[in-house]
Amino acid sequence: MAVSGERTAGTRARLGTLLVDASTGALGVAGGRVAGVYLRSSTPGLLRLAVLVGLPGPLFRPWWRLHLGRPFPVADAYRRGVPVVLPDATETMRRYPQFAAGLPFPFGSVHVPVPGGAEPLGVLTVLRPAVPDTVDAPLDQELLGRLAEGLGAELLGLADGEEAALAWDGDPLCVRPPVTRPAETRVGRFTWDPATSAVDADDGLRALLGPRPGEFPGTGPALADAVSREEAERILAALHGTADGKPPPVPLGVRSADGAVRLLDLWPRAGPGGRPLVGGIVFEPGPAATADGAADLLPQGVFCLDRMGLVVYVNPAAARLAGRERAALLGRPLWEAMPWLTGPPYDDHLRGVLVSHEPVHVHVQRPPRGTEDPTGGDWLTLTVHPGPDILTCTLVPASHVDASAGPGGRPPDEPRTPEDTVAGDHSLAPLYRPIALAIALTDAITARQVSAVVMRELLPAFGGRRLAIYLLQERHLYLAWETGFPQGFLAPFDGVGLDAHLPGVETLTTGRPLFFESMRQLAATYPGIPMDAEEGARAFLPLIASGRPVGSCILGFDGSRGFSTQERAVLTALAGLIAHAMERAQRYDSEAALARGLQQALLPRRLSAHPGVETAGRYLPGTQGMDVGGDWYDVVEAGDGLALVIGDVQGHGVQAAATMGQLRSAVRAFALGDRPPDEVLSGTNRLLIDLDPGQFASCCYVRLDPATGQALVARAGHPPPLLRSPGGRTSVLDIPGGVVLGVDPRARYPVTPLLLEPRAVLALYTDGLVERPGADIDDGIAALAQALSRAGTAVGRRSGSLAGVADRITATARNATDRPDDVALLLTTRRPARGA
């Protein structure tokens, strides 16, 4: 949470309790599987998930942060202040295709704003199985609305009028949902005689099926009806198939009348005189499965997960197939116990089971754990059956399911590449990857980001190993991205003209994709072309956007392979998506260059100097998005003193840079007139509202008297300054502040006095230096304070030392390849009097 030292542990606990109670209450009201509350964060325009009930946090990580500008139902509910109800996947896809593509399974959802003053405090959201006609159900609208209103009232009471105290900047609290039925595990055994239809059931089965002793009819149809009335015909068919020597390859997953998952395992056996009988076990798991030794006798691998992803039961057969001891599996999250069952696409499957309540079946390959691991590398069939509280999973060797074909129609014993296992079944690629790639490309802004998305999304889907993207500039193709090719192999092709007889050129000039199933076929079509491998297939795709040539894309595969008609059509369509994204990226790069030039012109080339004061400023652009934002710093002469200024304009790009220039000019004008700090911020605030009522900025302004060290400080929604004493101790200054600039024309900005002693260091900074995704900003400020204490030891002892301190403090950010936001830093110290 965003407030440091201002919220007691009791208040924090009370906030968490309110959010958890509201979320669990929403589960019951809406019949949901997953619920949570999004709250405003200290970052303008960003909501953060504060509580998640019913789903493991790691499975929902992509949705922990939601920007209000994104086309998502949570953002719409917040912006519009009205509930968003999506009854099923069809309506979700129609209204929010990006949201639906990110959660590709059938489900419904309800998103209700949590009221609180001029705008909502957050959004209460519930995911549930698809329910027809949900929009007309008053239960969702009325009860959920009242629940959200009550939560809003309690949150406001807890904040005691300070809504900013409710900002959430940390990870969500992940909570188990209430248990819906008693925790127990039941196992029953039986023998069925197909000749007479008689069933010999043990006491465990009779207790599981419900009738009192003596009341069970003891026939096959009665057994099937008692196990699962809705799937009785399927059970009878399985019984007869087993009697004929064709048992089900995996345990049947069925449901009892109360919705509990039951596994039915069948096998043929010989009776007296050799007549055929069918043996069976009915297993109904629960959280206490480990206490029931009878479940360990199941011949198939079975393990159970709770709704937080913890392994709560595993039988010996499943432990053997997993290649680990039971003790190493029990009580651990799935991603630690069996990491080869996590990541795409398995996370999608697990999310689908937890939310939509539909079983899934998928082939997986467990990697070997060492040379002595006899089961390593085997292909297994994983089936996950959903339940109200427990997920029941079965593991069996894939050869038991289909001895002739593994995933994607290949024999299970055929060698596979790691990329083959990513999608599980490449036949899914034409159905899933176009949507996934299109959604991922919406967030890719630069040409480098587009290329990275293509590598991440497209190569694994089709088992590719190599990728090259060329972009067209002045009738030549220049290499923009490559991966997987031998070092230097593509260098001779960089900058080739459009008259070159090369497949990468001709696919663009003709507009036709070229597919080669082997290197021999490629060499026969283009004699003399250099080869990067002895074998392998190649696909050359034209990148054409709205009829305009953009470049070409090359996909490489290690082995020879064919391209089906469907795959060719999908790859061609994907090339169109890539082309449009690349064209947008090129325009973006041009705008970014303009913004960088504008910003460099607006940032101060040198800071105003004073013989008694030393200053050092640093600016680092972000590495995501436009790379150019609205952070700025300045030192301005203010009467007989100096004005120290730092600010951060919302957003990135030309508009942010231009607004920054206007604000910097306004602040300089006010400072040159030696206005008090509160008047400087108030005047700048009104100017920004007049310039652009939709934009806002934070700012911290310090008016320093170099002779005495007396300073006056005012801040508008900006992180608090740091002060390092001459002795080396750094503290976070408790400076009262007003709202950000550009919001309230009547806003007031209190002024706080401050003494800057000789050799003390005052640090002003923007949030890009202290804020990290998934971390509390207070932790970042504390880390910056420690860095200032360590780096500032020599301040004032030798000339130019403050610049070195600034470099050391920003070194980590400067060397980071991933800076989500701009970084600005302004350090100030007073030089001691001569002889001191």
Side-chain angles (χ1 to χ4, degrees), residues 190-195 197-199 219-225 227 231-248 252 264-269 276-282:
F190 67 90
T191 301
W192 178 63
D193 187 340
S197 192
V199 173
T219 64
L223 172 69
D225 189 65
V227 172
E231 300 190 63
E233 293 185 5
R234 179 180 171 217
I235 295 172
L236 279 175
L239 288 170
H240 287 288
T242 303
D244 294 335
K246 298 178 181 179
L252 298 180
L264 176 63
D265 199 14
L266 304 173
W267 62 90
R269 53 177 297 188
L277 299 176
V278 173
I281 293 178
V282 179

Side-chain angles (χ1 to χ4, degrees), residues 15 17 35 48 71 109 122 153 195 328 332 431 488 551 565 590 618 627 799 826:
L15 175 61
T17 300
R48 283 183 178 268
S109 60
R332 295 181 179 272
L431 300 176
T565 302
S590 298
R618 296 292 182 268
D627 293 347
S799 177
L826 178 61

Side-chain angles (χ1 to χ4, degrees), residues 714-726:
R715 65 186 184 109
H718 203 81
L722 302 180
L723 181 62
R724 183 190 184 278
S725 69

Side-chain angles (χ1 to χ4, degrees), residues 36-39 47 73-85 110-116 119-125 140-141 144-153 155:
V37 177
Y38 285 88
L39 292 179
L47 298 179
V74 170
D76 270 3
Y78 184 93
R79 289 196 311 268
R80 300 173 182 174
V82 296
V84 174
V85 181
V110 185
H111 312 269
V112 182
V114 178
E119 61 178 324
L121 299 174
V123 176
L124 176 63
T125 187
D140 297 331
Q141 301 279 1
L144 276 179
R146 290 208 301 265
L147 185 63
E149 290 175 4
L151 174 61
L155 290 179

Side-chain angles (χ1 to χ4, degrees), residues 589-658:
D589 289 339
S590 298
E591 182 183 350
L594 174 62
R596 280 192 292 270
L598 176 61
Q599 186 180 52
Q600 290 302 319
L602 294 174
L603 284 173
R605 296 182 181 274
R606 63 181 181 84
L607 300 177
S608 297
H610 189 282
V613 176
E614 182 182 354
T615 59
R618 296 292 182 268
Y619 171 77
L620 301 172
T623 59
Q624 296 180 2
M626 181 60 74
D627 293 347
V628 179
D631 290 19
W632 91 94
Y633 60 86
D634 208 349
V635 178
V636 187
E637 294 181 5
D640 57 357
L642 289 178
L644 313 171
V645 189
I646 197 162
D648 183 0
V649 178
Q650 169 208 16
H652 295 79
V654 173
Q655 181 62 47

Side-chain angles (χ1 to χ4, degrees), residues 186-189 199-218:
R186 298 185 289 180
V187 178
R189 296 172 176 78
V199 173
D200 182 14
D202 68 0
D203 291 341
L205 180 64
R206 295 179 182 276
L208 187 152
L209 298 182
R212 292 187 295 273
E215 292 186 2
F216 180 65

